[in-house]
Amino acid sequence: MSTEIDVLVLGGAGVDTIVHVPELPLPLADSHMIQPGIVTRAGQSGDFVALGTSALGLRTHHLDMLGDDPEGDLVRALHRDRGIALTAVPQPLGTKRAVNLVGPDGRRLSLYDATRAAETDRLPEATVRELAAVSRHAHVVITQPCGHALPALREAGVTVSTDLHDWDGSNPYHETFAHQADLVFLSSAALADPERTMRRITERGRARAVVATAGADGAYLLADGLLTHVPAAAPPAQVVDSNGAGDAFAAAFLYAWLNAEPPRRCALYGTVAGAYACTVPSTRADSIGRTELCARVTGLVSGG
């Protein structure tokens, strides 16, 4: 099959307003003086995955719903400026937006505007099928319209990945995504027993590999029935923000995966990209490039 797209990213386009706070939880007070200020920029989960895969040289196309509003203009501009193809389906309720409270240690609390989505939201099936037909792989963000697009992706024969983020292992909403993806990412933050959840995903679904990221503790990889721990890579600069680290991990893992690297080496790529993302202020949308990523992974493998 002839392909024009390496990674088709579905969902996760939106805008974040970044607010740096003195600590999390935020102390109750009449007011707080915020430094270095409040910044609104384009970039949510799907945007960051698309940015990451594109920066690594993968032909990337992003499909999602956007409003005819200032937030939508910011998302369109991000893709235009970075040369990332974007298909924007009109969203009458407006572009997705969130407020991220970021603490001094880089941890964040995200507040999502739930008024900008509806149960009836859909990505047009014809558009999904048309793009999937010329794609190698689809990465699906866990929004409701993307869940409805999964059958069309499966019928198109593309491999599928998803990120369950901080799933607790029991919320049934996430199972649709977990059980229909060939590659599953999730955070271990809310999991009492990460291995149990990871094995249940492979037993009940079709995943060939499951990765549970664990922040400074690295990641856990389940592939071919074997669970292994992958240590965290050293950040190349001071850690300032964890925002986007999981998306960067997924993008780099996909880069290696689509280049037929073995799963553990794919995870090494992920840890390096995730560590890099933690050095990028949340007010910026940036991603590690292919040359630096490959050099750092080579250094890890060789012990340098």
Side-chain angles (χ1 to χ4, degrees):
M1 180 182 68
S2 175
T3 61
E4 303 168 6
I5 301 167
D6 293 314
V7 180
L8 172 63
V9 179
L10 280 76
V15 167
D16 286 345
T17 295
I18 311 300
V19 182
H20 289 271
V21 296
E23 60 182 291
L24 285 173
L26 183 63
L28 180 64
D30 180 68
S31 62
H32 290 280
M33 301 303 293
I34 301 300
Q35 292 286 352
I38 297 172
V39 176
T40 297
R41 55 107 181 101
Q44 291 192 356
S45 183
D47 299 313
F48 280 125
V49 172
L51 180 65
T53 55
S54 179
L56 295 173
L58 295 174
R59 299 167 300 171
T60 302
H61 196 112
H62 194 181
L63 168 64
D64 199 9
M65 305 182 73
L66 290 179
D68 182 13
D69 50 24
E71 292 88 355
D73 292 341
L74 285 174
V75 174
R76 293 180 183 91
L78 173 68
H79 288 72
R80 182 180 63 248
D81 294 347
R82 302 302 178 93
I84 303 170
L86 172 68
T87 295
V89 177
Q91 170 54 285
L93 295 175
T95 303
K96 289 186 288 293
R97 60 184 179 180
V99 174
N100 286 350
L101 305 182
V102 182
D105 59 357
R107 292 184 303 127
R108 78 178 190 274
L109 170 65
S110 296
L111 307 172
Y112 289 96
D113 184 347
T115 68
R116 299 199 162 195
E119 286 296 317
T120 55
D121 289 344
R122 297 289 186 276
L123 297 173
E125 185 173 333
T127 303
V128 173
R129 291 185 181 278
E130 179 182 352
L131 291 171
V134 293
S135 299
R136 294 176 62 195
H137 181 84
H139 181 79
V140 180
V141 178
I142 56 170
T143 58
Q144 178 260 342
C146 295
H148 285 278
L150 284 168
L153 296 175
R154 294 255 58 98
E155 291 173 16
V158 296
T159 52
V160 174
S161 60
T162 193
D163 190 337
L164 308 178
H165 299 286
D166 58 347
W167 186 36
D168 61 4
S170 59
N171 187 333
Y173 175 83
H174 299 70
E175 292 181 351
T176 296
F177 300 90
H179 297 163
Q180 294 194 51
D182 303 280
L183 176 59
V184 176
F185 301 98
L186 73 163
S187 167
S188 64
L191 299 177
D193 187 342
E195 180 176 359
R196 179 184 176 190
T197 298
M198 295 168 74
R199 291 195 180 278
R200 192 164 63 237
I201 289 171
T202 61
E203 291 164 1
R204 298 182 180 179
R206 54 180 296 128
R208 295 161 51 193
V210 180
V211 182
T213 56
D217 291 329
Y220 296 91
L221 168 69
L222 178 62
D224 300 318
L226 179 65
L227 182 73
T228 56
H229 176 248
V230 182
Q238 180 181 353
V239 172
V240 295
D241 195 336
S242 62
N243 188 62
D247 301 321
F249 186 109
F253 192 107
L254 288 176
Y255 168 76
W257 182 269
L258 292 173
N259 281 288
E261 295 279 9
R264 182 174 174 80
R265 191 170 175 93
C266 293
L268 289 178
Y269 278 84
T271 60
V272 169
Y276 176 93
C278 290
T279 69
V280 178
S282 57
T283 51
R284 286 169 38 202
D286 196 9
S287 183
I288 192 169
R290 178 168 55 189
T291 299
E292 182 176 357
L293 175 65
C294 292
R296 291 188 177 280
V297 170
T298 298
L300 281 178
V301 173
S302 64

